[in-house]
Amino acid sequence: MFPAINYVKLIAGFFDWSEKMIDGGVLISQDLSCMGQVSLSVVLPILGACGLKPTVLPTAILSTHTGSFGNNTYLDLSHEMAQITKHWQELDIDFEALYLGYLGKNALDFWLQNKELVNQKIVLIDPAMADHGKMYRGLDQQYVEEMRQLIKKATILTPNMTEAAFLLEKKPEENSMQTATSLAQELMVKFNIPNVIITGIDLTDDQIGEVGVTEEKEWSLTQGRLPGSFFGTGDIFASVFLAAFMHHYSLKESCSIAADFVERAILNTPKQDPRLGPNYAAGLSWLLKKMGDRK
């Protein structure tokens, strides 16, 4: 005979499970490139592996990322973003953190028009729009002006040197720790952002660095530059940084872990087309141990 079923306990357990599902973890809003390890293709597995329950609000679907693959397709999803978030509001989903990466014009407009949705405890904004003194393809000065409005909602801002300069209406200057620290201080004060981290500072032919400025202190890190150039390292860095920070590492410790992870990924990447990105999976066991050490 089959054992008797306690339906009261079963139903209570179902509602307990449903209530847990309402905790949305980390909301990520950026594009999905179908080929090339960038954006959501790396953010989702990294944050998921670290146990942060990622939820996605995709901004667009691309056949490939925009780095040297030619004329990629681009399906804008900004019209769906309002419908998706409306459904989430009906479900009363709560997100502990929000991570905004590369958005594009229409998705940036969405977030500016719905700034009330940016109310999480942790709001990481990576204003991915420029590098090496130039704007990314398809973005213009109006995009910079609109990004200046959005970053006021950030609790952590992670621009590179070019983005930091553009946000402050300056021309990119020489890459030095002193210049980066000055830019970070100006961003923090002008836009009232508690934590500003400038990443990927080209210091010498064999050295790169990061600087951080918070309301309490300043700090800096340096790493050796590895040969080669891979797409997606910025997305990997930001994802690991956020995972470490949400596991209660400090901002500086989180940056150090992210930099070490990117280095491990590159060192374990076989000879392949650099447009495909580094082998981030090679460092996941090391990263999970780091996360486990903080439990």
Side-chain angles (χ1 to χ4, degrees):
M1 295 180 63
F2 293 105
I5 299 175
N6 187 331
Y7 287 101
V8 173
K9 185 176 181 180
L10 178 64
I11 293 172
F14 169 78
F15 283 113
D16 286 343
W17 174 82
S18 298
E19 184 65 25
K20 290 179 182 177
M21 292 299 290
I22 298 300
D23 178 3
V26 180
L27 174 58
I28 311 153
S29 188
Q30 48 190 270
D31 67 276
L32 172 62
S33 294
C34 297
M35 182 179 181
Q37 297 296 298
V38 303
S39 195
L40 285 177
S41 295
V42 296
V43 178
L44 272 175
I46 290 174
L47 294 185
C50 292
L52 296 180
K53 295 181 294 184
T55 298
V56 298
L57 185 60
T59 62
I61 297 178
L62 291 73
S63 56
T64 67
H65 62 70
T66 58
S68 305
F69 274 120
N71 296 322
N72 58 278
T73 65
Y74 185 93
L75 176 62
D76 179 26
L77 297 178
S78 58
H79 59 288
E80 289 294 327
M81 294 172 70
Q83 299 302 316
I84 293 170
T85 53
K86 179 182 178 182
H87 184 207
W88 288 346
Q89 287 175 311
E90 293 171 355
L91 296 174
D92 196 25
I93 297 178
D94 182 43
F95 299 103
E96 181 180 358
L98 171 65
Y99 168 25
L100 300 180
Y102 178 85
L103 296 175
K105 185 182 183 308
N106 291 336
L108 177 55
D109 288 342
F110 167 84
W111 282 108
L112 286 175
Q113 293 164 11
N114 296 274
K115 285 191 287 188
E116 72 279 0
L117 298 177
V118 187
N119 56 14
Q120 294 75 20
K121 180 180 178 181
I122 300 170
V123 178
L124 171 62
I125 299 182
D126 180 8
M129 61 182 182
D131 203 359
H132 303 298
K134 298 179 181 179
M135 293 293 294
Y136 289 158
R137 189 179 73 189
L139 303 182
D140 55 19
Q141 183 59 32
Q142 182 181 353
Y143 191 87
V144 179
E145 293 171 1
E146 292 181 351
M147 184 60 73
R148 290 180 187 134
Q149 299 302 312
L150 183 62
I151 63 173
K152 295 176 182 178
K153 302 289 288 186
T155 63
I156 305 172
L157 184 71
T158 58
N160 58 36
M161 289 288 284
T162 299
E163 291 158 349
F166 286 172
L167 289 169
L168 291 167
E169 302 181 71
K170 296 184 175 185
K171 293 182 179 180
E173 302 179 50
E174 74 277 8
N175 290 320
S176 70
M177 290 300 203
Q178 183 178 0
T179 300
T181 301
S182 178
L183 291 174
Q185 290 170 336
E186 289 186 60
L187 286 166
M188 182 182 72
V189 173
K190 182 172 182 177
F191 297 102
N192 193 29
I193 304 170
N195 309 286
V196 178
I197 300 167
I198 297 186
T199 64
I201 306 166
D202 293 321
L203 299 173
T204 64
D205 290 340
D206 58 3
Q207 195 174 57
I208 59 175
E210 298 84 37
V211 301
V213 175
T214 73
E215 295 172 331
E216 294 86 21
K217 60 183 179 180
E218 301 170 4
W219 50 265
S220 63
L221 293 169
T222 58
Q223 303 91 37
R225 182 194 298 275
L226 298 176
S229 177
F230 293 90
F231 288 89
T233 53
D235 298 320
I236 294 172
F237 182 97
S239 302
V240 175
F241 164 81
L242 179 59
F245 185 68
M246 293 189 69
H247 279 80
H248 309 296
Y249 283 96
S250 70
L251 290 171
K252 184 176 181 179
E253 290 171 332
S254 299
C255 272
S256 181
I257 290 170
D260 288 347
F261 183 87
V262 171
E263 180 179 37
R264 288 170 180 270
I266 292 174
L267 289 174
N268 284 281
T269 299
K271 291 184 178 180
Q272 65 177 20
D273 189 330
R275 294 176 297 179
L276 299 178
N279 180 23
Y280 71 87
L284 284 178
S285 60
W286 173 85
L287 180 62
L288 294 186
K289 184 179 184 305
K290 285 283 186 182
M291 301 302 104
D293 289 343
R294 302 298 281 194
K295 290 181 180 179

